Amino acid sequence: MDMESTLVSAWGTNLAYTREELLALRTKEHAGQTHHRRRPYRGCRAGTKLKAKRMEKRWRFKPSVPSVVMGNVNALTNKTDELATLVSNQRLYRECSILCFTETWLTSNIPDANVDIPGFTTIRADRDPKRSGKNKGGGLVLFVNIRWCNPGHVTVKEIICCRDVELLAVSLRPYYMPRELSHAIVVCVYIPPRADAETACDVIHATIARLQTQHPEAFLAISGDFNNVTLDSVLPAFHQYVKCPTRKNRTIDLLYSNLKDAYSATPLPPLGKSDHNLIYLQPQYKPQVRRQPASTRSFRKWSPDAEAALRDCFESTEWSVLQEPYGEDIEGITHCMTDYMNFCMDIVVPVKTVRCFANNKPWITSNVKGLLNKKKRAFKENNQEELRSVQRELKVHLREAKESYRKKVEQKLRENDMREVWNGMKTITGCKQRMDSAADGEVERANEFNTFYNRFDCPVQDPTALVDTSSTPPLISSSNSAPAPPYSPHSAVLTTSTTVAPPPPPPLHTFTADQVRGELRRLHPRKAAGPDKVCPRLLKSCAAELGAPLQHIFNLSLHLGRVPTLWKTTCLVPVPKKTHPSELNDFRPVALTSHIMKTLERLLLHHLRPQVQHAMDPLQFAYREKVGVDDAILYFLHRTHSHLDRGGSTVRVMFFDFSSAFNTIQPLLLKDKLVGMQVDPYLVSWITDYLTDRPQYVRLKDCTSETVVCSTGAPQGTVLSPFLFTLYTSDFQYNSETCHMQKFSDDTAIVACIRGGKEEEYRHLVEDFVAWCNRNNLLLNTSKTKEMVVDFRRARPPTQPVSIVGVDVEMVKTYRYLGLHLDDRLDWSANTDILYRKGQSRLFFLRRLGSFNICRKLLLMFYQTVVSSCLFYAVVCWGGSMKKRDEMRLNKLVRRAGSVVGVELDSVVTVAERRTLHKLLSIMDDDGHPLHSIIMDHRSSFSGRFLSQSCSTDRLRRSFVPRAIRLFNSSQWSRKREDT
């Protein structure tokens, strides 16, 4: 064949080329041609959807937690073909990580080849006839997707088969897991319909507790057919995700997980003729690195050299040169001092900016990160030998890094650096992570928050229109002039012709430089700075140098009765109250104020407290030395049990709730009340100015709102506000044989002991208190105000609700009062359930700390401060009155904690008895305690022992006072026997 080709051009000319000339022509043409890049498509052709599909395909088999299809199949052998068809044709089954089935009815005669599914690893746990007592039915199976987890990384951890439960626990190490999770443990469970529920729950709980102790950072999922048995009581820290019916109208196929917001459940058609629907659990969990993206933080790098330089700077400063030009202009002096301190701090202490990653642990060093990258490259290159070598090296480096961090934490303990010790333990356990502030917002959003938090502000009214003060002459004028001298009966007789008022006497109390230095040294150096930008660490480290200049400003402020505007300014930071806030009321306003102002408030509080001690409510249990939550609940329980000890009695308790109580304080009303208490006029004038015209603004992540001046009230972040509120409410007191009102700050409760249906006193007291709240501008939240009726009779008489402002108060069976959950039977079942759930959650952190091989001393410290403080909260109130079943549950938690710590820990009864005796001795030493006279009336003046209290019911016998008396007598008697 001729190698030449004849081409006819468009003009009819014959062109002849050889094959070599054509190839050369093509090469020259491509070499000289300039390729222009094609203009990219726009819109749907831009590749956005294609890129999304590629990313979805890339991460399809790398979910954060495994996707699960679960159900009861009622024999698997005759449904294998259908299941294999679903896996090959439907994407949901094909890409699912785990297929978990119960009641497979498989036996040892059926080989794995009969039930294998292409692309999945099969793990079986057939029913054992000898252990279960049944020859047919039962059986568990797990199918693990090979593209999600390598078959070599599947390990069977536990197989249990008994009459009450069948269990299969499998450990899985998939190709991808979030950094906060080490691996996944899937537990498949089947509980027969006639099984003993308590025994089955105990077996499951013991298995899960052992797995959590061995692998505290693992993801755990418990799925299966539970047949009306729930794990809510034995595993309260786990979350159940199946909400839809699984068999007709019943939900008996459940899935529990130790992660919150991990799954969303979707029903699927049953497999074959099974009467159970299949359930698809789609992962919803977001890894920590996605929930908390990398953030940039700026902080001052303090050091001993910087503190020494600041002290030298302030020591060589001539403070009189800064203060004397302003005279009594307290605003000018305050701004000058603040600017000077911030100027010195900016020069001496440098500012450092770092990036923080939420999923980075301090023991993940640069060497470990380099090995991780090396492992990733070896995996992409399919170099199996290098991959195994890097894995071994990475395992050794991780162990060494953790060991180094552990030694570092223990070294801080030996150096008595407790702050670094606690930071290390919190990092290891992940306990008490910092909550994010309000979401990102613009200025309009910040102004909206500011208006909402200022909604209680109202113009100050004339106090004579709210309270009748005609019987008491005003001691301090309401104008801005100097305060009038104290009123006295003799001064009314001496009259003079001149109209000039005598000069006010000097303040009764002034501050010394040593007092100011002492309060500055008590500041917490890690607290956030207020609007004046003065860091508390600056004030604490330079307390000796700043004591004298701040003393001058404090005394001047007290003498003038004025508070600098800069010190009254408040920065509000909204912090969410729940995980997914939806409205403004779901954010709690955290107030940041000046630390210099807080120091002045603490100094004034020392002078104010003795002056008003005579007017304090004896049933106000807050802000008193050695009196707290325990005492308030013990007094309520003693009055209640003593009344109900006689038959045919009822106790009605009204729990009131205020709306932003501290913000609704009226300064002029409080002023008149302080005058009636004969408080120093200079203090009264200072407090009145302290509560009025307080500027505030809201700070979000990226912006701040406009500054708004509030005419009344004080935020909760200040020192004086809680104590001023107790003074504001101290003029309403009530305590009789059948009714009393007790308070703990703004938590107010009216307790009525009713016999024979006589409720007139109780209803009149509620009406009088509501009317008093209206006169004092205190806003009651009627929707959160609840009433609880305590009656031990089986047949309770009907009760009529109490109405407040035309709204009937809701009656509840349980109420959370001062952190304890009270119920209408006072058997503490609801409270122990909550404590058990909290203890389970805290025990998880203890297990994680124990898995780090930390020393026993730190484990015991963590248990006492984190776990024990939760389990034994107010144990003197409920320790002797709880049920035996609840006591056994809590003791089980204590024993598990002891197995982690490695020592035998005190039981609930032991801790309750020890704290009860300590509380009794504390009450005996406090003459002002409401229970002091009640207890001392039972004591013999001759022997010092207590006379036993007569009790008709077991509830009163197990309450605090009789139980404390028995413990005291037994301890006194044993002590005398030891002495003899």
Side-chain angles (χ1 to χ4, degrees):
M1 183 178 178
D2 189 5
M3 297 298 295
E4 296 183 355
S5 299
T6 304
L7 299 180
V8 180
S9 66
W11 298 276
T13 307
N14 294 332
L15 301 178
Y17 293 97
T18 63
R19 181 175 181 274
E20 289 75 10
E21 290 176 341
L22 287 175
L23 292 176
L25 181 64
R26 179 183 178 186
T27 305
K28 294 179 181 179
E29 178 183 0
H30 281 269
Q33 181 181 0
T34 303
H35 292 275
H36 297 281
R37 187 174 182 181
R38 187 178 63 180
R39 181 179 179 183
Y41 290 109
R42 301 181 61 184
C44 63
R45 295 187 178 184
T48 305
K49 294 182 179 180
L50 184 60
K51 292 178 181 178
K53 288 182 180 180
R54 288 176 180 173
M55 291 299 297
E56 182 183 359
K57 184 177 180 180
R58 179 180 178 184
W59 290 94
R60 188 175 298 169
F61 298 101
K62 293 184 179 181
S64 300
V65 293
S67 56
V68 182
V69 171
M70 55 170 287
N72 187 317
V73 294
N74 287 334
L76 184 63
T77 52
N78 56 357
K79 302 179 179 66
T80 307
D81 293 338
E82 180 181 350
L83 183 60
T85 305
L86 289 174
V87 169
S88 60
N89 294 329
Q90 294 191 14
R91 177 179 172 182
L92 185 148
Y93 291 88
R94 183 171 59 253
E95 298 176 357
C96 185
S97 305
I98 298 172
L99 304 177
C100 177
F101 299 130
T102 59
E103 279 207 274
T104 60
W105 298 7
L106 299 178
T107 62
S108 57
N109 298 328
I110 302 175
D112 291 345
N114 289 14
V115 293
D116 280 347
I117 303 174
F120 285 81
T121 305
T122 306
I123 304 99
R124 292 169 48 179
D126 302 337
R127 172 175 286 182
D128 189 349
K130 296 181 180 179
R131 298 180 180 179
S132 62
K134 296 180 181 180
N135 295 325
K136 296 182 180 180
L140 308 171
V141 66
L142 283 179
F143 296 101
V144 181
N145 198 324
I146 296 176
R147 286 173 288 186
W148 177 70
C149 181
N150 191 293
H153 296 165
V154 178
T155 307
V156 178
K157 303 292 291 186
E158 191 84 32
I159 295 179
I160 297 176
C161 182
C162 60
R163 186 179 299 273
D164 299 308
V165 64
E166 297 180 30
L167 184 144
L168 170 63
V170 180
S171 173
L172 306 168
R173 295 187 180 272
Y175 298 114
Y176 168 77
M177 284 290 281
R179 187 170 292 180
E180 61 268 20
L181 303 174
S182 59
H183 61 289
I185 298 178
V186 179
V187 181
C188 188
V189 174
Y190 173 68
I191 301 178
R194 297 182 181 179
D196 185 2
E198 186 174 354
T199 304
C201 290
D202 289 342
V203 172
I204 297 173
H205 182 269
T207 305
I208 298 302
R210 184 166 56 254
L211 291 175
Q212 281 190 309
T213 303
Q214 296 173 355
H215 312 282
E217 296 183 357
F219 164 76
L220 272 97
I222 311 170
S223 67
D225 185 357
F226 286 83
N227 276 315
N228 296 325
V229 178
T230 62
L231 304 179
D232 296 338
S233 59
V234 295
L235 294 176
F238 280 63
H239 307 274
Q240 205 282 118
Y241 292 99
V242 180
K243 308 298 181 183
C244 53
T246 60
R247 183 182 181 186
K248 296 182 180 180
N249 296 328
R250 300 162 57 194
T251 304
I252 59 178
D253 296 286
L254 308 177
L255 185 138
Y256 293 87
S257 171
N258 60 343
L259 291 183
K260 190 176 181 180
D261 300 329
Y263 288 107
S264 64
T266 305
L268 297 176
L271 195 64
K273 294 183 179 180
S274 174
D275 56 351
H276 289 250
N277 295 331
L278 297 182
I279 304 297
Y280 173 56
L281 282 305
Q282 184 178 4
Q284 301 292 328
Y285 176 76
K286 289 185 178 180
Q288 191 174 5
V289 70
R290 292 175 57 191
R291 284 186 281 118
Q292 299 179 6
S295 59
T296 303
R297 291 179 53 194
S298 298
F299 59 93
R300 295 192 179 275
K301 193 174 181 180
W302 289 87
S303 63
D305 295 337
E307 294 180 0
L310 274 176
R311 286 194 292 267
D312 294 340
C313 179
F314 291 145
E315 187 177 3
S316 60
T317 300
E318 190 67 33
W319 297 103
S320 59
V321 177
L322 299 176
Q323 295 177 351
E324 286 180 358
Y326 294 96
E328 293 189 352
D329 183 10
I330 192 168
E331 298 287 349
I333 295 179
T334 303
H335 281 282
C336 180
M337 283 281 298
T338 303
D339 294 341
Y340 179 73
M341 287 189 290
N342 289 332
F343 171 75
C344 296
M345 183 173 60
D346 292 338
I347 293 179
V348 175
V349 186
V351 177
K352 186 178 181 180
T353 302
V354 296
R355 294 192 69 193
C356 302
F357 296 88
N359 62 344
N360 263 3
K361 302 297 184 182
W363 53 84
I364 303 298
T365 60
S366 58
N367 294 334
V368 175
K369 292 181 180 180
L371 288 174
L372 288 173
N373 295 330
K374 188 176 180 181
K375 175 184 175 182
K376 188 176 181 180
R377 289 192 299 268
F379 177 77
K380 288 183 177 180
E381 296 172 359
N382 198 17
N383 191 343
Q384 297 297 327
E385 183 178 354
E386 184 179 0
L387 180 62
R388 287 191 292 270
S389 174
V390 173
Q391 285 178 339
R392 289 193 296 267
E393 188 178 0
L394 179 62
K395 186 176 181 179
V396 173
H397 276 72
L398 276 174
R399 187 185 299 114
E400 292 176 353
K402 288 186 176 182
E403 184 71 13
S404 176
Y405 189 78
R406 179 186 65 82
K407 292 180 180 179
K408 178 181 177 182
V409 175
E410 294 178 355
Q411 179 64 28
K412 294 296 181 182
L413 177 64
R414 288 189 289 269
E415 296 174 358
N416 203 22
D417 190 354
M418 299 310 300
R419 178 182 174 273
E420 294 297 332
V421 170
W422 274 109
N423 286 341
M425 288 195 293
K426 288 179 182 179
T427 302
I428 295 172
T429 60
C431 179
K432 293 184 179 179
Q433 295 293 338
R434 181 181 300 176
M435 293 184 63
D436 289 337
S437 61
D440 296 340
E442 300 179 352
V443 179
E444 292 77 8
R445 175 74 168 172
N447 291 331
E448 186 180 359
F449 271 108
N450 204 8
T451 304
F452 176 75
Y453 293 141
N454 198 28
R455 67 190 185 278
F456 298 102
D457 190 23
C458 61
V460 181
Q461 304 178 17
D462 184 8
T464 58
L466 299 175
V467 180
D468 185 11
T469 58
S470 58
S471 59
T472 304
L475 303 186
I476 298 181
S477 61
S478 58
S479 62
N480 294 330
S481 60
Y487 176 80
S488 129
H490 302 285
S491 62
V493 179
L494 301 175
T495 58
T496 57
S497 58
T498 178
T499 58
V500 179
L508 298 178
H509 302 280
T510 55
F511 309 119
T512 63
D514 291 337
Q515 291 176 338
V516 177
R517 295 188 187 101
E519 291 298 332
L520 291 177
R521 292 190 180 100
R522 295 188 182 96
L523 290 175
H524 195 293
R526 298 287 175 176
K527 292 288 185 179
D532 58 353
K533 306 300 181 184
V534 178
C535 180
R537 185 161 185 173
L538 165 70
L539 299 174
K540 183 174 183 177
S541 58
C542 304
E545 292 75 20
L546 296 176
L550 290 180
Q551 174 212 9
H552 171 73
I553 303 179
F554 291 170
N555 288 331
L556 181 62
S557 174
L558 181 61
H559 177 76
L560 298 176
R562 292 176 54 196
V563 181
T565 305
L566 181 61
W567 291 356
K568 291 195 295 185
T569 305
T570 304
C571 174
L572 299 178
V573 180
V575 175
K577 300 178 184 177
K578 53 186 182 181
T579 307
H580 302 290
S582 58
E583 56 183 8
L584 297 180
N585 203 24
D586 294 338
F587 292 86
R588 179 179 291 107
V590 177
L592 300 179
T593 56
S594 171
H595 288 277
I596 302 178
M597 184 63 197
K598 290 181 180 179
T599 304
L600 177 56
E601 292 179 54
R602 293 187 181 96
L603 291 170
L604 283 169
L605 188 59
H606 295 324
H607 295 322
L608 179 62
R609 195 188 298 272
Q611 299 184 37
V612 298
Q613 195 65 35
H614 65 281
M616 294 292 294
D617 187 355
L619 296 184
Q620 172 63 264
F621 293 90
Y623 316 116
R624 294 173 57 180
E625 187 178 1
K626 297 182 180 180
V627 176
V629 172
D630 297 348
D631 304 272
I633 299 176
L634 288 176
Y635 185 77
F636 160 73
L637 293 175
H638 176 75
R639 293 285 297 261
T640 302
H641 282 297
S642 300
H643 177 71
L644 295 177
D645 189 52
R646 295 170 289 180
S649 304
T650 305
V651 174
R652 299 187 68 169
V653 190
M654 181 77 70
F655 300 100
F656 292 93
D657 183 82
F658 295 99
S659 296
S660 296
F662 299 163
N663 298 78
T664 55
I665 298 176
Q666 292 295 316
L668 296 183
L669 289 178
L670 180 62
K671 175 182 177 180
D672 292 338
K673 295 179 181 182
L674 293 177
V675 169
M677 299 176 189
Q678 299 180 356
V679 180
D680 183 6
Y682 280 90
L683 277 177
V684 177
S685 179
W686 189 93
I687 292 173
T688 305
D689 187 76
Y690 166 80
L691 292 175
T692 55
D693 299 333
R694 298 185 62 91
Q696 74 174 32
Y697 62 92
V698 173
R699 187 184 70 192
L700 301 183
K701 285 186 177 180
D702 301 324
C703 62
T704 57
S705 69
E706 299 176 356
T707 303
V708 177
V709 178
C710 305
S711 60
T712 60
Q716 297 186 16
T718 58
V719 176
L720 275 178
S721 294
F723 188 76
L724 293 180
F725 182 80
T726 61
L727 295 180
Y728 193 69
T729 58
S730 62
D731 57 340
F732 193 94
Q733 307 174 13
Y734 195 89
N735 189 10
S736 65
E737 294 183 358
T738 57
C739 273
H740 77 276
M741 172 185 283
Q742 64 180 59
K743 309 169 188 174
F744 194 92
S745 188
D746 59 336
D747 292 313
T748 305
I750 292 179
V751 184
C753 302
I754 299 170
R755 187 181 303 277
K758 297 179 181 181
E759 302 178 350
E760 293 79 9
E761 183 182 4
Y762 169 63
R763 293 182 179 272
H764 286 315
L765 179 58
V766 173
E767 293 176 0
D768 293 343
F769 181 69
V770 173
W772 177 86
C773 291
N774 292 334
R775 291 195 303 269
N776 289 269
N777 198 46
L778 292 176
L779 304 180
L780 285 174
N781 191 343
T782 56
S783 62
K784 293 185 179 180
T785 299
K786 308 295 181 182
E787 184 183 17
M788 187 174 66
V789 180
V790 183
D791 195 342
F792 297 154
R793 291 175 288 183
R794 294 183 179 179
R796 295 186 177 186
T799 55
Q800 297 296 327
V802 179
S803 178
I804 296 180
V805 199
V807 179
D808 291 341
V809 178
E810 180 185 0
M811 292 186 179
V812 295
K813 293 186 177 181
T814 59
Y815 185 81
R816 186 175 184 269
Y817 180 60
L818 301 180
L820 286 183
H821 291 77
L822 304 174
D823 52 48
D824 56 355
R825 292 288 181 179
L826 297 183
D827 58 1
W828 304 103
S829 298
N831 184 68
T832 50
D833 286 341
I834 299 298
L835 291 180
Y836 187 80
R837 294 181 182 182
K838 290 183 179 179
Q840 283 274 30
S841 303
R842 305 289 178 89
L843 202 59
F844 164 74
F845 298 120
L846 184 64
R847 291 192 186 103
R848 176 172 289 185
L849 188 64
S851 67
F852 217 81
N853 296 326
I854 208 76
C855 67
R856 184 175 299 176
K857 186 176 181 180
L858 283 179
L859 285 174
L860 185 60
M861 182 189 305
F862 189 86
Y863 165 78
Q864 292 174 347
T865 54
V866 178
V867 183
S868 175
S869 61
C870 167
L871 282 179
F872 303 137
Y873 174 74
V875 69
V876 296
C877 304
W878 52 267
S881 303
M882 62 178 174
K883 296 180 179 179
K884 193 67 177 178
R885 172 179 172 273
D886 297 330
E887 178 186 341
M888 294 174 60
R889 293 176 65 197
L890 295 180
N891 283 332
K892 188 182 295 184
L893 280 183
V894 174
R895 289 195 297 270
R896 291 197 185 99
S899 65
V900 177
V901 177
V903 296
E904 185 177 356
L905 303 173
D906 293 336
S907 63
V908 179
V909 175
T910 304
V911 176
E913 290 180 353
R914 182 173 64 248
R915 295 189 183 183
T916 298
L917 188 59
H918 179 75
K919 176 58 69 175
L920 177 66
L921 298 177
S922 176
I923 295 175
M924 292 168 59
D925 296 337
D926 188 2
D927 297 340
H929 198 283
L931 290 175
H932 177 79
S933 59
I934 297 174
I935 291 177
M936 297 306 293
D937 289 343
H938 293 80
R939 191 173 189 183
S940 172
S941 59
F942 176 72
S943 63
R945 292 168 57 87
F946 285 97
L947 304 177
S948 60
Q949 184 179 0
S950 59
C951 305
S952 303
T953 60
D954 186 60
R955 286 187 174 92
L956 179 59
R957 189 179 300 109
R958 298 171 63 185
S959 62
F960 171 74
V961 175
R963 184 163 48 90
I965 288 176
R966 292 195 301 270
L967 290 175
F968 181 82
N969 289 337
S970 61
S971 62
Q972 289 288 96
W973 180 251
S974 62
R975 194 176 303 137
K976 288 182 179 179
R977 291 185 60 184
E978 291 174 359
D979 294 341
T980 56

